[in-house]
Amino acid sequence: MSGGASTAKEESFNEFYHEVKEIEKRDSVLTPKQQIERLLRPGSTYFNLNPFEVLQVEPEATLDEIKKKYRRLSILVHPDKNMDDLERAQQAFEIINRAWKTLESEETRKKCLDIYQEAKERTDHMIEQKRKKQKKDGRQSEGIPEDDADKYKHSVYVMTMKLFADMERKRQHLEVRDMEERKRKREAEIEEEEQVSIEKEWAKNFEESRQNRVDSWKVFQSGSGGKEKKKKKVGMGFKPPKPKPESR
């Protein structure tokens, strides 16, 4: 390796290291260990379906804000920074990258925002039903938990997670159904191919044995006719009388 290349690599590493330290200094909660634990905690498969949750950004965040958060998190959990926990760091890094790719695309980000919007609408409907029930029971003055902004936000969050999970279950169901359909079609194709092969083989064998059957029949007919003629000729021939013994 040339000296120039080595120096460039060292400068790149130093820049990377400096940026990591700045991030850790800016927000002590964002540490590599904490983020790896968060992304791989029990139930993470469920939580990580929501890219907003993975990157810890609000759905209303701009793409630039999302990109900045993605960069910070990806640096923190990068395998090169977590050599003592390399395998888990790689898993966390892939989760963050997947979330970013989902939100980076305008099409898939819109789908995620639609899910979030539906979660808000369902939460608002649930709150409305609660208020109606309270009014019916004469308890409208008591209020409901979702009157508190933080609790309302949490309810929307829970509903959002539920919708992401429902969407994933539907995706898996369709994937399994599609796989089974492809398998069924392939089995039908194989069965048809085998049937065609059997029919071709049968036709080939039939044609090859046809002449043998004709020849065998001719031989059989020829042999039967010869015996009948021979038998007939012998039956019509002259039989001389038996000689009598001499008398003494």
Side-chain angles (χ1 to χ4, degrees):
M1 182 183 293
S2 65
S6 178
T7 302
K9 188 174 181 180
E10 289 176 1
E11 289 176 353
S12 177
F13 177 79
N14 290 335
E15 182 180 352
F16 171 81
Y17 182 79
H18 178 72
E19 186 170 2
V20 169
K21 287 301 178 184
E22 283 298 311
I23 289 172
E24 291 178 348
K25 187 176 179 181
R26 193 161 55 243
D27 190 344
S28 60
V29 175
L30 291 175
T31 63
K33 183 178 179 180
Q34 288 171 323
Q35 289 305 312
I36 291 172
E37 288 296 332
R38 177 181 71 85
L39 293 166
L40 301 179
R41 67 194 185 278
S44 59
T45 301
Y46 170 74
F47 288 103
N48 293 341
L49 293 173
N50 183 350
F52 300 117
E53 169 68 11
V54 171
L55 298 180
Q56 294 188 307
V57 294
E58 295 296 329
E60 298 87 355
T62 65
L63 184 60
D64 187 55
E65 291 171 336
I66 296 171
K67 185 176 183 179
K68 287 179 180 178
K69 194 62 177 289
Y70 155 71
R71 180 166 174 75
R72 292 170 67 185
L73 290 173
S74 64
I75 289 174
L76 286 171
V77 303
H78 197 284
D80 290 348
K81 180 174 171 58
N82 298 276
M83 300 300 291
D84 59 333
D85 197 5
L86 190 60
E87 184 176 343
R88 282 161 50 82
Q90 182 64 38
Q91 293 176 22
F93 185 72
E94 290 173 0
I95 290 168
I96 287 173
N97 272 336
R98 189 162 54 245
W100 163 243
K101 287 179 181 178
T102 299
L103 296 180
E104 180 187 27
S105 165
E106 184 177 347
E107 181 182 354
T108 51
R109 185 170 76 254
K110 183 180 183 306
K111 289 180 180 178
C112 293
L113 289 172
D114 288 343
I115 289 174
Y116 173 69
Q117 185 59 37
E118 183 179 349
K120 285 185 68 176
E121 290 173 0
R122 290 195 183 192
T123 301
D124 291 342
H125 178 72
M126 176 194 69
I127 291 172
E128 184 181 350
Q129 294 302 309
K130 282 185 177 182
R131 294 192 194 284
K132 285 182 178 180
K133 188 175 186 308
Q134 279 191 337
K135 186 176 181 179
K136 182 179 179 181
D137 297 340
R139 298 183 295 107
Q140 60 267 35
S141 59
E142 295 179 9
I144 58 174
E146 287 77 14
D147 288 335
D148 180 80
D150 289 338
K151 290 183 179 178
Y152 172 77
K153 186 176 180 179
H154 179 71
S155 293
V156 174
Y157 167 80
V158 171
M159 183 61 72
T160 303
M161 301 301 292
K162 179 182 181 302
L163 292 179
F164 271 108
D166 289 345
M167 184 177 70
E168 176 61 15
R169 278 192 291 270
K170 288 178 182 178
R171 186 195 67 77
Q172 291 179 359
H173 174 72
L174 291 174
E175 188 177 83
V176 170
R177 191 174 69 178
D178 183 57
M179 183 174 63
E180 290 176 346
E181 181 63 17
R182 289 199 305 270
K183 181 181 177 182
R184 186 192 66 77
K185 286 182 178 180
R186 184 54 188 153
E187 288 175 347
E189 288 173 358
I190 292 173
E191 185 177 350
E192 184 178 352
E193 289 169 1
E194 289 177 346
Q195 184 61 33
V196 169
S197 178
I198 290 171
E199 290 175 358
K200 284 183 178 179
E201 186 68 22
W202 185 89
K204 179 182 176 184
N205 292 337
F206 180 85
E207 185 61 28
E208 288 177 350
S209 64
R210 184 178 66 82
Q211 190 60 46
N212 291 336
R213 291 195 303 275
V214 171
D215 293 343
S216 296
W217 177 251
K218 286 180 178 180
V219 170
F220 173 76
Q221 290 290 79
S222 175
S224 298
K227 287 180 181 179
E228 287 177 1
K229 288 178 182 178
K230 188 176 181 181
K231 187 175 181 181
K232 185 176 182 182
K233 185 176 180 181
V234 172
M236 294 177 65
F238 172 74
K239 290 183 180 181
K242 293 181 180 180
K244 293 181 180 180
E246 294 183 1
S247 59
R248 296 191 183 266

